[in-house]
Amino acid sequence: MSLTQKIVILFSGEGSNMEAIIRSLHKKEFEGFQVHVVATLTNNPNAKGIERSKELGIPCEVIDHRAFESREAFDAALAQAILAHRPNLTVLAGFMRILSPLFLRQIRAINIHPSLLPLFKGGNAMQESYLSPMKVAGVSVHYVSEELDSGDLIAQEAVGKIEGESFEEFKARLHSLEHRLYPEAILRVLKEKVTL
Ligand code: GRF
């Protein structure tokens, strides 16, 4: 019988990365272990991803950050909800909240960012990367640390810029790269744990 590696996915909006992760990893067998997406969680009651998650057979828990009086109170409730599932890894996929040290002391989390970190940290990465004079753009997967978009890198991939490409086309290319790279990076992290 193979081991089960449990993951929880956090998102705030569209949830396209969440969907890609569920479709490529959930209940699939990988060299000695199976991946189970045991829960999805969002801080945004209006997130489009809530419906996507349900359609994929995984009910989404909503913890609205606006119902809490401080960042710490929200983070404590979020950490508790995650830990209830006893996951091996927590995966941030477009989760638009900065997490406090209190949260990170309890939860081992990774994140995806649409730039070649350490370039273009923060919420405007795609646009800054599109407008920059650089010839390449890309996507990074990294451990979540107390400083925004700054934890150790797990995976990174570059794509060449295409002359005359619109911002919409550029975004779509980066998104499809994310949808392949993130499941690969998650597997890499889970495999390291299995062999420990
Ligand atoms: C992605 O571009 C991701 O890199 C960033 O937020 C976006 C989320 O998109 N952190 P989606 O909700 O997965 O469609």
Side-chain angles (χ1 to χ4, degrees):
M1 214 182 67
S2 71
L3 230 92
T4 302
Q5 292 280 293
K6 295 192 271 182
I7 62 175
V8 168
I9 307 175
L10 271 51
F11 66 92
S12 298
E14 290 293 325
S16 74
N17 279 285
M18 169 202 62
E19 175 167 351
I21 294 163
I22 294 172
R23 287 195 188 282
S24 34
L25 303 183
H26 185 52
K27 294 196 171 161
K28 303 240 162 85
E29 188 77 39
F30 301 95
E31 293 170 41
F33 66 91
Q34 263 206 12
V35 178
H36 280 202
V37 178
V38 287
T40 64
L41 277 158
T42 187
N43 64 307
N44 174 11
N46 301 314
K48 293 219 181 101
I50 297 174
E51 207 43 51
R52 278 189 196 220
S53 180
K54 273 193 212 151
E55 278 165 16
L56 291 159
I58 299 168
C60 175
E61 294 168 34
V62 180
I63 303 178
D64 188 345
H65 63 279
R66 291 168 304 186
F68 295 84
E69 60 189 24
S70 67
R71 182 179 298 281
E72 283 69 26
F74 167 71
D75 280 7
L78 184 65
Q80 200 180 15
I82 293 171
L83 291 171
H85 295 282
R86 306 181 65 81
N88 299 88
L89 186 66
T90 297
V91 174
L92 273 52
F95 187 67
M96 307 307 276
R97 301 284 306 165
I98 294 172
L99 294 163
S100 58
L102 172 140
F103 178 92
L104 294 170
R105 273 199 294 275
Q106 305 177 66
I107 308 284
R108 182 172 180 253
I110 67 174
N111 183 41
I112 189 157
H113 187 76
S115 78
L116 294 172
L117 289 172
L119 296 173
F120 312 125
K121 293 178 182 176
N124 260 331
M126 286 224 199
Q127 202 173 6
E128 287 172 18
S129 157
Y130 177 73
L131 294 174
S132 91
M134 289 180 67
K135 298 285 188 197
V136 292
V139 168
S140 308
V141 179
H142 62 92
Y143 286 103
V144 179
S145 67
E146 288 178 21
E147 210 185 317
L148 185 69
D149 300 328
S150 297
D152 289 347
L153 288 169
I154 298 159
Q156 193 163 53
E157 206 168 299
V159 289
K161 295 243 192 93
I162 298 172
E163 224 177 295
E165 187 174 48
S166 71
F167 181 52
E168 286 310 311
E169 291 164 336
F170 174 78
K171 262 198 332 202
R173 267 200 312 134
L174 283 190
H175 276 309
S176 49
L177 170 56
E178 289 188 326
H179 298 163
R180 177 178 54 76
L181 191 68
Y182 211 4
E184 282 174 15
I186 292 167
L187 275 186
R188 197 176 311 162
V189 172
L190 293 177
K191 258 184 212 158
E192 277 166 18
K193 264 213 131 186
V194 167
T195 52
L196 280 183

